[in-house]
Amino acid sequence: MAEPNVLDLNRLRRGCAHCSLQQLCLPAGIGADELQRLDDIVRRRRPVTAGDRLFRIGDPLTAVYVARDGAFKTVTITEEGEEQVLGFHLPGELIGLDALAADQHRCEAIALTTANVCEVPFDQLSSVAAQVPGLQQQLLRVIGQSVGRDQDHMAVLQRRQAGERIAAFLHGLSERFRHLGQSGTQFRLPMSREDIARYLGLALETVSRGFTRLQEDGVIAVTGRRVEILDMAELNRLAHAPETDEPRRRGRA
Amino acid sequence: MAEPNVLDLNRLRRGCAHCSLQQLCLPAGIGADELQRLDDIVRRRRPVTAGDRLFRIGDPLTAVYVARDGAFKTVTITEEGEEQVLGFHLPGELIGLDALAADQHRCEAIALTTANVCEVPFDQLSSVAAQVPGLQQQLLRVIGQSVGRDQDHMAVLQRRQAGERIAAFLHGLSERFRHLGQSGTQFRLPMSREDIARYLGLALETVSRGFTRLQEDGVIAVTGRRVEILDMAELNRLAHAPETDEPRRRGRA
DNA sequence: CGCAGAGTTGATACCAGTCAACAAAAGTGG
DNA sequence: CCACTTTTGTTGACTGGTATCAACTCTGCG
């Protein structure tokens, strides 16, 4: 975040073929010349900054989006005017599928950090997908991954204990970072405590206390948004078991 | 559930063109001869009975399913071996999309009642969808509806008060029944209190108490699984507001 | 008739939401 | 670069809602 990245234009010009996400994103598993057809319709936009919106509630479905880096959240607004966080989106994860049913977005997508985004015009995507079997298959697969993340989230929200939800959240995030080739044990949270709280259906104070508790128990180390996972197995255990109040492990494992 | 329905075979032989769900299901909005192509691949199975499974966790993705009548639940099994209810599925709602990502089911689909089911072999569906633009579009739309229901569910689970979740659950179910052309104010719940509890992330006693409370407040009338909604506006209000303990309305609205 | 499963109701303990004060970090402008 | 403000995160005290354990009722069924 120092200089204005004068070389970014070059990076933006590079197509799917050179993208580090190629194997995770829409192009995964399709041939070279078919890749070109996809590449032709993908628009790469200049970087967005934190707080920018890709689309708003009620907007027509014009495109789906994939972050190349950075992170997004999707939110709805409740009757009382407060945000509910539906999901967090890391690079390679499709954003905008919520408009599939009604051609109209039910939520809005907000950048949590500065980010580079690929925009894929939806009608062109579906017509190319109809002609390129591999792309259709991959599109369905990526949609399926999105459904899977939603179901994981539901499973987390069904957990009754705040500690379980928080542990599950951190564990899931860790896996997603690792899947991107980044460290799964040391990372910076792109979202605020409040975002996490609204995502997990908890009060933000409860999230804060949960982090503190995990730190006291030697499972993680937190400073603000920097998180290091010290005991992944224990974190995973806490995410699934209702916290058998084990005699508070001190020092080492 | 009296006589074994000797005429059912005739009903089963009828294709999509005569199905009451035509406008809600995959065939919606596609032409007559294209409908025939879809009809050719759809397999109609003999009725399943309550407790039967369409697929189990780990099964390969061979088909997606749509109930013509009856109801299903999809569940996962937690590490501790207890069921988590991911969703309830009414007629016309696609079942089996959870396997899209990994070609393998993450959950199992269990019949809550006796039901007639259409089975759509998945590979044939995608190849026909590639050739029939209207079907591809409709497939994506139906998938989108499923995503939308999941997001509604997440929004319900993020509500902190049990009463809100229960009211939202009943209200949502009512809308889905109405959408099917059935009564939205009087219906029989296809699922047990325990299923509802595992769906809403509550203890089953809390669900029971919630129903009782709604009845005391004159919002609904319950006897076992029979529900009548007396004050839809109030039910909807309770689903969104954290229960401003209004002076317990008695008698009429 | 008695039994099993489903649902209701009651008493109690505890977790988490709320209100409030404080601490730390990140902007902002001189 | 430093004072100021604003935002974000932490911690504490208190209360209330919900889980839990338990007893009881109701329904349908063999």
Side-chain angles (χ1 to χ4, degrees), chain A residues 161-162 202-203 205-206 209:
Chain A
Q161 306 265 344
L202 299 171
E205 295 94 326
T206 306
R209 275 187 253 266

Side-chain angles (χ1 to χ4, degrees), chain B residues 120-137:
Chain B
V120 192
F122 185 71
D123 48 358
Q124 295 179 47
L125 174 61
S126 25
S127 70
V128 175
Q131 296 158 29
V132 180
L135 180 58
Q136 191 202 36
Q137 203 177 335

Side-chain angles (χ1 to χ4, degrees), chain B residues 1 160-163 201-206 209:
Chain B
M1 48 189 74
R160 315 232 183 95
Q161 305 267 344
L202 300 171
L204 77 88
E205 296 94 327
T206 306
R209 276 186 253 266

Side-chain angles (χ1 to χ4, degrees), chain B residues 226-244:
Chain B
R226 281 232 68 84
V227 174
E228 181 175 6
I229 298 178
L230 303 173
D231 188 344
M232 187 68 77
E234 178 68 3
L235 187 66
N236 189 37
R237 204 184 60 77
L238 289 174
H240 296 292
E243 185 126 11
T244 74

Side-chain angles (χ1 to χ4, degrees), chain B residues 61-82:
Chain B
L61 170 60
T62 56
V64 294
Y65 304 84
V66 186
R68 291 158 71 93
D69 51 39
F72 287 81
K73 64 176 175 181
T74 42
V75 306
T76 53
I77 310 296
T78 67
E79 321 262 309
E80 303 88 57
E82 62 178 20

